[in-house]
Amino acid sequence: MGTAMNSLDSSLDLDPRRLGKLGFGGAGIGNLYRSIPDGEALATVLAAWDAGIRYFDTAPHYGLGLSEQRLGAVLRDKPRDEFVVSTKVGRLLEANPGGGQDPEGFDVPATTRRVWDFSEKGIRRSIEDSLERLGLGHVDIAYLHDPDVHDLQAGISEALPVLERLRSEGVVKAIGVGINSAEAALECVDAADLDLVMLAGRYTLLEQPGVPLLDRCVERRTGVVSVGAYNSGLLARPDVSEDAHYNYQQAPPDVLARARRLATICRDFGVELPTAALQFPLRHPAVVNVTAGATSPEQVSMNAARMEETVPEELWEALERVGR
């Protein structure tokens, strides 16, 4: 039996401050790149809770629903008014008689397949299916997932108005887009009344360009949730290794050299590179939260500790000079 969508009081807008500085990203517990046991995945979510994290993000795309199932197994036993959960719409999961393994980077059996669907019927069904997997009565935030990958104009003209209706009906408290392109995100922000943009990369310690999206979000009072602060792992360790990845590929020599320069500057101020990388996005007033993935309790604890470390202002000034 499916989990019915519970309508919320539509006057209860989501205060971005409820997200906290650090969120938990659920791609890793969906077996991104490698399989992790159920016990390890659940312990990782529990570690996030114990570290004080109260914002949890997931998606049907992550492990063909496995991330939602594992996240819900922990959160459904927690007081519902004490946490915020987001999931994504735009990809439905349909039965896949062909079987095999998932071809999109998650180490899971391909018992289902992803089908793009930006229609109202598809989006409403996506929310219902996610609630079934999560075992929750509602999700707080619904993001349109990767409209820049599928069909940006259909996302703007078709899907975003549906999300606006779901919010006005009280099905969700907040809506947004989860996206890799700052330029595409800007189009979405200008076209719809979005509460949040989940931006993957594009504004990180390594990449400090002028991002018009961020200033526009300040004007529109649209919060930005920053993901990918470690640039696919390149900035995730104090010392940058030769085989480090950037944008999910082997980092080229010039990028490695730049990351090592950043690491050296951080070291001169007694700060580790990943600490500066994790905290950097919050320096822009548009950014309300940095969400980081994890596949072990130790990674969660480390991320939480790094977020609370004190970084001297002089280091930020030195790093910003390098970024110009």
Side-chain angles (χ1 to χ4, degrees):
M1 182 176 178
T3 302
M5 286 189 286
N6 295 336
S7 290
L8 305 166
D9 182 344
S10 59
S11 66
L12 292 177
D13 294 330
L14 181 72
D15 184 342
R17 290 173 296 184
R18 285 194 61 203
L19 301 183
K21 291 188 295 184
L22 181 63
F24 177 84
I29 62 167
N31 286 0
L32 180 62
Y33 304 134
R34 66 182 183 89
S35 177
I36 61 173
D38 282 339
E40 183 81 354
L42 301 186
T44 301
V45 179
L46 278 171
W49 183 272
D50 291 342
I53 293 171
R54 293 296 181 268
Y55 173 45
F56 300 85
D57 176 68
T58 184
H61 174 56
Y62 301 158
L64 296 171
L66 180 62
S67 172
E68 290 181 317
Q69 293 166 3
R70 286 171 160 177
L71 193 62
V74 175
L75 293 183
R76 70 176 66 110
D77 293 329
K78 304 299 182 185
R80 187 61 187 89
D81 61 349
E82 292 187 12
F83 65 89
V84 174
V85 63
S86 59
T87 193
K88 303 181 183 75
V89 301
R91 290 175 173 94
L92 288 173
L93 301 182
E94 303 280 5
N96 179 30
Q101 285 293 109
D102 178 43
E104 296 198 28
F106 294 88
D107 189 2
V108 294
T111 55
T112 58
R113 62 187 180 93
R114 303 165 184 84
V115 177
W116 290 103
D117 193 331
F118 283 5
S119 71
E120 179 159 1
K121 181 179 178 181
I123 288 172
R124 290 181 181 273
R125 184 188 140 192
S126 183
I127 295 287
E128 290 275 12
D129 290 351
S130 289
L131 293 177
E132 176 75 25
R133 289 186 288 267
L134 286 161
L136 299 175
H138 70 273
V139 294
D140 301 282
I141 305 164
Y143 294 109
L144 178 63
H145 204 181
D146 293 336
D148 53 326
V149 173
H150 176 51
D151 186 334
L152 180 60
Q153 293 312 309
I156 289 172
S157 64
E158 189 174 1
L160 293 184
V162 174
L163 288 180
E164 289 177 318
R165 284 195 289 276
L166 289 175
R167 182 181 56 195
S168 68
E169 293 169 12
V171 173
V172 295
K173 293 181 181 179
I175 62 171
V177 292
I179 203 161
N180 291 281
S181 165
E183 293 76 19
L186 181 58
E187 288 191 53
C188 294
V189 167
D190 282 337
D193 179 21
L194 302 182
D195 301 289
L196 296 163
V197 170
M198 177 170 276
L199 183 65
R202 312 290 79 80
Y203 184 70
T204 68
L205 188 62
L206 186 77
E207 301 171 294
Q208 302 177 35
V211 181
L213 167 70
L214 298 184
D215 292 337
R216 186 67 174 132
C217 284
V218 172
E219 294 172 7
R220 298 272 289 177
R221 302 183 69 182
T222 301
V224 174
V225 174
S226 174
V227 295
Y230 292 142
N231 281 115
S232 307
L234 180 65
L235 309 182
R237 296 179 178 84
D239 298 306
V240 179
S241 64
E242 200 63 40
D243 61 351
H245 283 69
Y246 169 67
N247 280 354
Y248 304 103
Q249 297 178 353
Q250 171 66 44
D254 61 321
V255 173
L256 284 173
R258 187 147 183 274
R260 285 172 176 153
R261 174 149 173 69
L262 294 173
T264 298
I265 295 170
C266 289
R267 199 175 299 115
D268 289 343
F269 286 85
V271 175
E272 292 188 338
L273 176 63
T275 298
L278 194 65
Q279 293 191 27
F280 171 79
L282 288 167
R283 292 181 58 75
H284 196 287
V287 178
V288 296
N289 172 275
V290 175
T291 287
T295 55
S296 71
E298 294 75 20
Q299 288 180 2
V300 171
S301 299
M302 182 62 74
N303 285 337
R306 291 192 186 284
M307 185 57 85
E308 295 305 317
E309 285 184 35
T310 299
V311 175
E313 187 63 30
E314 294 79 7
L315 171 57
W316 294 126
E317 293 169 1
L319 289 169
E320 285 167 8
R321 285 194 294 272
V322 174
R324 291 183 188 129

